[in-house]
Every structure is written in structure tokens, then in C-alpha cells.
């Protein structure tokens, strides 16, 4: 057993990447639809932008954190 227990790192990488892609997709499509087709308040457009940015960060940082850094520290 490792330092952090029996963590399934490949599963965490896959879930983190998929979560990041889903958030980024929802943020980008929602922002596009809100900008061009429907009228929404400014806070909702900001919410779509924040979702896209968080999704991008999760997409980029999940493989680095769970695929490289944490397995090396065990």
C-alpha cells in the first residue's frame, strides 16, 4: 500500500479530463448560444466563461497532477 492508500491514478486522470472537457464544452456552447441566440443577463455569460476556464484548467492539470506528480510522490 502506498502513501496515499490504494488510489487508482489512471481512473482519476480519465475522470478529470472528461470533467474538464464537459465543463469547457458547456461553457463554450452556452456562451455562444447566450451571445447569439437568446438574451441572458451578464452574470450568466460570466458563469459560462468561468465554467469554460475551470474546465480548461481541469483538462490540463488533471494529467499532470494525477498522472505525473502524485504517482512520483508515493
Amino acid at each position: 500500500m502506498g502513501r496515499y492508500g490504494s488510489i487508482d491514478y489512471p481512473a482519476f486522470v480519465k475522470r478529470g479530463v472528461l470533467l474538464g472537457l464537459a465543463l469547457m464544452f458547456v461553457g463554450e456552447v452556452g456562451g455562444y448560444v447566450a451571445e447569439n441566440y437568446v438574451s441572458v443577463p451578464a452574470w450568466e455569460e460570466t458563469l459560462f466563461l468561468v465554467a469554460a476556464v475551470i474546465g480548461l484548467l481541469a483538462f490540463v492539470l488533471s494529467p499532470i497532477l494525477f498522472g505525473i506528480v502524485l504517482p512520483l510522490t508515493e
Side-chain angles (χ1 to χ4, degrees):
M1 184 179 295
R3 180 175 175 183
Y4 300 110
S6 58
I7 298 176
D8 187 16
Y9 292 115
F12 275 97
V13 171
K14 290 174 192 172
R15 290 178 191 146
V17 167
L18 288 176
L19 177 68
L21 280 176
L23 271 173
M24 194 167 52
F25 180 76
V26 167
E28 291 296 328
V29 170
Y32 177 76
V33 169
E35 185 74 29
N36 295 319
Y37 296 110
V38 296
S39 178
V40 296
W43 68 268
E44 288 183 5
E45 290 182 16
T46 305
L47 187 66
F48 288 131
L49 177 67
V50 169
V53 169
I54 290 174
L56 180 63
L57 287 174
F59 177 74
V60 170
L61 294 178
S62 289
I64 294 170
L65 181 66
F66 292 113
I68 299 171
V69 175
L70 285 178
L72 286 176
T73 60
E74 274 200 38

